[in-house]
Amino acid sequence: MNPFLATVRRDVLLAMRRKSEVLTAVFFFVIVTSLFPLGIGPEPVLLKKIAPGILWVAALLATLLGLPRLFAADHGDGTLEQMVLSPSPLGLLVAGKILAHWLLCGLPLVLLAPVLGLQFDLDASALGVLTLALLLGTPLLSLIGAIGAALTLGVRGGGVLLALLVLPLYIPALIFGAGAVEAHIAGLDVGGHLSLLAAMLVLAAFFAPWATTAGLRIALE
Amino acid sequence: MGDHGGIEDCIRVSQSIVQWFRFASPQSFYPLAGRMVPWFWAAAAIFGIAGLWMSFFVAPTDAQQGEGYRIIFVHVPASWMSMFIYLVMAFWAGLGLALNTRVSSMMAQALAPTGALMAALSLWTGALWGKPMWGAWWVWDARLTSELILFFLYLGFMALQAAIDDPRRADKAGAILALVGVVNIPIIYFSVKWWNTLHQGSSVNLAKSSMATTMLWGMLLMALAFWMYSIAVALMRVRAIILERERHTEWVKHAVA
């Protein structure tokens, strides 16, 4: 089997056998978005205005929650060292792990976002833009996050450190992702925002597995 | 005969390269840095005194902003240095990663706190300037926001280095983070800029008045003073890092004794 697909399949299978970890991040996303109206008040106009930002920030944090586990288990039982030694290129295997992380952590957020958007009184077309923006943005979050996960692998206080390293790098995705929905609500064209998100995704898809691989090699030295 | 000349040239070139690489060893860089530090301190003092004199006594009072504008003589050089130091830091970190030269990585580590200091100073003086001029300590202006993010990037670099016990691993991990940061800085800058223009008509309008020549000179002299100060402090810090990391070697025992 293709080593890339084999890695994806393995990681998804492992996660499916221990569903609670995946579900934790999803429930976190739901709870955080539901807290905001309770803190701010049930004013529909205000909620509609801040909905894109809230959903995106919550998606950012939910992605972050799953990142420390991306390499930790494989590092703990020595699988990661076997991957480094295997004849297939490490970058390919890492790309497979990142894709699996997105399927488990990012895709559920994309699918849930329209439902949560209803809580904030977003109309159907705005929900469509939100879903599309998250579909382009969440893989970007997984790709950038993987670099941070590799650099903080096995480091003291890795989880908090990971947030400190990765969150500033998430800012462009947040700006254009939430900006697309806001532009749509304001009646503007969203093509520019989505194109920029897609451009960043292409750039990250090319460079991030490479940087992650370098980070993993350093961690395993 | 011509061949002989070529070979001699080659030898001479490689000798001069070897001469330079000699300073990639901590043992020979330590005394060199020690000899350079006083010169950079002296240059920082001279430029600083000249710059302060220029900015306080020679530069005219601004027609629109009064005396309060004089904070830019600290603010602008600090902002310039905070951005420049990040590039220099990433350069040394990348060099250390590519060539495995330890002093390069130590230099990157030594530059980070100064860069963070400059970013913090720039934000702080910006707030002090913004309160009387704009009536707010903080506005979500594109430049302020990107400076804040740059400050976070410095903090991340220092936190990552501090969290990893093995210095060689810390160097390499920090280098990758610094290089990822360098790629991201333009992306972050432009996204923040576009975000700002999309959200609101810029609430802040810097009056684009042509600057008096004496003001520009004051600012340039202060920038040179900040630059020299940064080099002097980074060299002092790199000396401390060298001593700490090479403490098991004979030459350090002699140098400290």
Side-chain angles (χ1 to χ4, degrees), chain A residues 60 63-64 67 140-152 158-172, chain B residues 152-153 156 177 180 184 188:
Chain A
L60 239 67
T63 313
L64 203 62
L67 279 177
L140 180 62
L141 301 182
S142 294
L143 283 162
I144 298 174
I147 303 175
L151 290 177
T152 55
V160 184
L161 186 61
L162 180 60
L164 188 63
L165 300 189
V166 165
L167 283 178
L169 303 177
Y170 277 176
I171 289 169
Chain B
F152 292 156
L153 289 178
L177 185 67
V180 170
N184 268 281
I188 291 173

Side-chain angles (χ1 to χ4, degrees), chain B residues 16-17 19 34 55 95 109 126 144 150 152 156 169 176 210 226 238-239 255:
Chain B
S16 66
I17 289 173
Q19 282 277 309
S55 44
L95 205 66
Q109 196 194 342
L144 269 74
L150 183 66
F152 292 156
R169 189 190 160 189
I176 290 184
S210 61
F226 273 60
V238 86
R239 269 165 66 87

Side-chain angles (χ1 to χ4, degrees), chain B residues 30 243 250-257:
Chain B
Y30 180 81
L243 282 188
E250 277 302 313
W251 74 266
V252 168
K253 284 171 195 153
H254 286 296
V256 177

Side-chain angles (χ1 to χ4, degrees), chain B residues 47-58:
Chain B
F47 285 128
I49 291 167
L52 284 174
W53 177 71
M54 239 2 209
S55 44
F56 274 106
F57 299 110
V58 180

Side-chain angles (χ1 to χ4, degrees), chain A residues 1-214:
Chain A
M1 198 198 265
N2 180 334
F4 173 74
L5 291 178
T7 316
V8 177
R9 184 172 167 275
R10 170 182 170 272
D11 273 25
V12 172
L13 208 62
L14 278 176
M16 280 302 118
R17 293 194 177 142
R18 230 180 329 169
K19 293 193 185 62
S20 65
E21 285 187 0
V22 176
L23 289 176
T24 312
V26 174
F27 279 125
F28 176 81
F29 181 58
V30 175
I31 291 171
V32 167
T33 45
S34 309
L35 282 180
F36 275 89
L38 298 174
I40 290 165
E43 187 64 45
V45 182
L46 179 63
L47 286 183
K48 190 173 177 176
K49 193 165 164 46
I50 59 173
I54 288 172
L55 285 163
W56 260 91
V57 172
L60 239 67
L61 297 176
T63 313
L64 203 62
L65 213 57
L67 279 177
R69 286 197 309 273
L70 184 54
F71 300 114
D74 284 349
H75 182 53
D77 64 10
T79 314
L80 206 58
E81 282 173 23
Q82 296 303 318
M83 285 181 163
V84 173
L85 295 174
S86 85
S88 14
L90 182 58
L92 204 62
L93 303 179
V94 164
K97 287 188 76 66
I98 296 172
L99 179 61
H101 177 264
W102 177 72
L103 287 174
L104 294 163
C105 263
L107 196 57
L109 305 184
V110 178
L111 298 176
L112 259 179
V115 183
L116 294 172
L118 287 175
Q119 286 187 322
F120 291 88
D121 195 25
L122 293 179
D123 54 29
S125 60
L127 289 176
V129 174
L130 174 71
T131 314
L132 195 59
L134 278 170
L135 197 62
L136 287 171
T138 43
L140 180 62
L141 301 182
S142 294
L143 283 162
I144 298 174
I147 303 175
L151 290 177
T152 55
L153 190 59
V155 166
R156 264 181 288 117
V160 184
L161 186 61
L162 180 60
L164 188 63
L165 300 189
V166 165
L167 283 178
L169 303 177
Y170 277 176
I171 289 169
L174 171 67
I175 287 175
F176 293 118
V181 189
E182 278 170 26
H184 178 82
I185 293 172
L188 301 171
D189 185 35
V190 297
H193 287 88
L194 295 180
S195 305
L196 281 166
L197 267 182
M200 290 193 287
L201 176 59
V202 170
L203 204 68
F206 186 75
F207 283 111
W210 184 59
T212 310
T213 309

Side-chain angles (χ1 to χ4, degrees), chain B residues 201-223:
Chain B
S202 174
S203 60
V204 176
N205 260 318
L206 282 175
K208 285 273 176 204
S209 56
S210 61
M211 210 184 226
T213 334
T214 45
M215 286 187 195
L216 193 66
W217 270 108
M219 207 187 278
L220 284 176
L221 284 169
M222 287 303 284

Side-chain angles (χ1 to χ4, degrees), chain B residues 117-129:
Chain B
L117 173 76
M118 291 295 168
L121 193 64
S122 154
L123 289 169
W124 190 4
T125 52
L128 290 179
W129 183 82

